[in-house]
Amino acid sequence: IPSLHAQRPDPANLKKHVAFLAADKMKGRGTGSKTNRKAAAYIKRHFKKYRLKPLGTDGYYQPFTAKVRRVVVPDSLRPARNVIGFLDNGAEYTIVIGAHYDHLGEGRQGSSLAPGSEGVIHNGADDNASGTAGLLELARYFTSNGGKEPYNLLFIAFGAEELGLLGSRHFVSNPTIPLEKINFMLNMDMIGRYHSESGVAVIGYGTSGSWPEIFAGVRHTKVKYYTGDDGSGGSDNASFYSKNIPVLFFHTGGHDDYHRPTDDMDKIDYEAEAGILDIEIQVLERAFTFPKLVFKSTK
C-alpha cells in the first residue's frame, strides 16, 4: 500500500505546472487567445489523467463569451471557457475547489500596472499559474488518496477572471450542479509569494459559523496563516458568496510584480505553496466531518 505521505502536495509538480502555464511561449494566457486555449487543454488533460468526470457543458469545458474592455480599441467579444472536473463520491453535497487560469496576455486586456507595457508578455506566474498549479495538485491528491470522502469535489479552472470574474459568474448563473447542493467554495488566487512574517491570508472566514471550529483542528505546519472575514472581495470566491455559499479564499498578498511583466516563475516559493496546500487539505478533511455549512453574510 503506498503511503499517504507520498501523495502530499509536491513542490516539483507545482513547479512543472507553473513552468508550463507561465512560460514566455504562453504569451500571458489572455482570454480568447490560442495560448489560453492551450492552457485549458493542459488542465483538461490532467483532469482526465486523474479520472475526474467531465462536468462542463461540452465535456470538461463550459464555453462562454467574454466581453473584453480595453483602453486601446473598442470592446470586443472573445470565446472563453471554464474547465470542470468532478470527483463523484455519490454524496448529496459537493465542495467546489477553484482557481482562475487566465492572465493579462500581452498587456492589451485586463489591467496591467506597468506603464508602456502594451505588447509585452505578462506571464502571470503568481497570478494565477500558482493557483492553477494548486488546483491540479489538490485534484491529484484527492483522486489518489485511496479514500472516499463524504462530499463530492468539483474542481473548476475559471476563465476570464481578469476581465471581471466572468468565468465564475458564468458558472454560478449556469451551474452544472445545483447551487443548493454546494457546501462551500475554496478558491486559490496568487498563492505563490509566501511571506513568512505575515503568512497566507485565508479570506472568507466569516462566511460560516463553522469555520472557526474547523480551523481549530488544523495542525501547525511550516507555513502560517491569518484570517479575514469578508467573503465578497478579490477573486472568483465573490461570485459564489453572492449566491449565499460559504467561501474561503487563499492568497499570499500583493507585491511589486502584480499585474506587471515581471510576475515570473523564478519568484514563486514552491515549498511554501506545497505547505499552503497542506493547510487546505487539512481544512477540507476537517470539513468532511461536518454537516453542510450554514452561510453567514459578512456585510
Side-chain angles (χ1 to χ4, degrees):
I1 298 169
S3 91
L4 287 185
H5 181 73
Q7 312 295 347
R8 299 310 282 191
D10 183 350
N13 286 344
L14 294 169
K15 188 171 187 177
K16 182 186 74 172
H17 295 318
V18 173
F20 178 87
L21 294 164
D24 281 350
K25 67 180 182 186
M26 292 297 280
K27 296 182 179 173
R29 309 184 303 282
T31 297
S33 68
K34 274 186 192 170
T35 55
N36 184 274
R37 290 196 293 279
K38 197 173 168 186
Y42 180 86
I43 296 159
K44 172 187 166 177
R45 191 160 72 244
H46 283 83
F47 282 0
K48 205 170 172 180
K49 177 182 168 184
Y50 303 143
R51 295 189 178 87
L52 294 174
K53 183 176 155 188
L55 209 65
T57 48
D58 176 14
Y60 288 97
Y61 295 148
Q62 183 186 37
F64 62 97
T65 300
K67 190 168 191 177
V68 183
R69 290 187 177 81
R70 299 189 291 178
V71 181
V72 194
V73 300
D75 288 1
S76 59
L77 299 177
R78 294 192 168 197
R81 62 201 54 73
N82 296 325
V83 192
I84 307 176
F86 187 52
L87 177 55
D88 187 354
N89 289 318
E92 184 180 0
Y93 296 110
T94 296
I95 294 166
V96 173
I97 301 174
H100 77 88
Y101 68 92
D102 64 297
H103 194 55
L104 306 185
E106 292 174 274
R108 296 191 185 95
Q109 57 174 267
S111 49
S112 176
L113 296 176
S117 63
E118 196 202 328
V120 181
I121 296 167
H122 290 58
N123 283 324
D126 188 29
D127 187 12
N128 187 29
S130 69
T132 304
L135 181 75
L136 293 174
E137 268 299 85
L138 290 184
R140 182 185 69 82
Y141 174 80
F142 283 109
T143 55
S144 65
N145 63 357
K148 188 175 180 182
E149 297 78 20
Y151 289 95
N152 310 313
L153 298 175
L154 189 66
F155 295 90
I156 311 180
F158 297 108
E161 188 270 354
E162 298 289 6
L163 303 178
L165 315 183
L166 300 188
S168 54
R169 284 182 178 176
H170 180 78
F171 179 83
V172 298
S173 300
N174 305 271
T176 60
I177 57 167
L179 291 183
E180 62 272 16
K181 296 294 184 186
I182 295 176
N183 182 4
F184 63 85
M185 187 269 190
L186 185 152
N187 185 44
M188 292 168 279
D189 193 351
M190 298 174 62
I191 54 169
R193 302 282 289 265
Y194 179 73
H195 299 282
S196 55
E197 317 82 64
S198 52
V200 59
V202 184
I203 299 154
Y205 190 75
T207 61
S208 174
S210 299
W211 287 133
E213 205 183 333
I214 289 170
F215 274 85
V218 173
R219 294 188 322 274
H220 284 293
T221 61
K222 54 191 168 190
V223 303
K224 62 184 183 182
Y225 66 88
Y226 65 97
T227 58
D229 285 346
D230 184 29
S232 62
S235 185
D236 291 306
N237 48 286
S239 302
F240 288 80
Y241 176 82
S242 74
K243 299 294 185 183
N244 297 341
I245 294 167
V247 296
L248 288 178
F249 167 27
F250 285 76
H251 179 57
T252 51
H255 47 75
D256 290 344
D257 302 306
Y258 172 70
H259 279 203
R260 290 178 172 85
T262 46
D263 180 6
D264 289 324
M265 69 165 288
D266 58 341
K267 296 174 180 175
I268 302 298
D269 185 338
Y270 299 99
E271 291 285 343
E273 181 171 345
I276 291 165
L277 296 176
D278 257 325
I279 291 174
E280 292 176 11
I281 287 168
Q282 287 191 61
V283 169
L284 288 161
E285 290 179 342
R286 286 273 299 155
F288 293 155
T289 68
F290 280 66
K292 183 175 186 281
L293 304 193
V294 176
F295 175 77
K296 205 166 114 187
S297 172
T298 59
K299 286 175 182 168

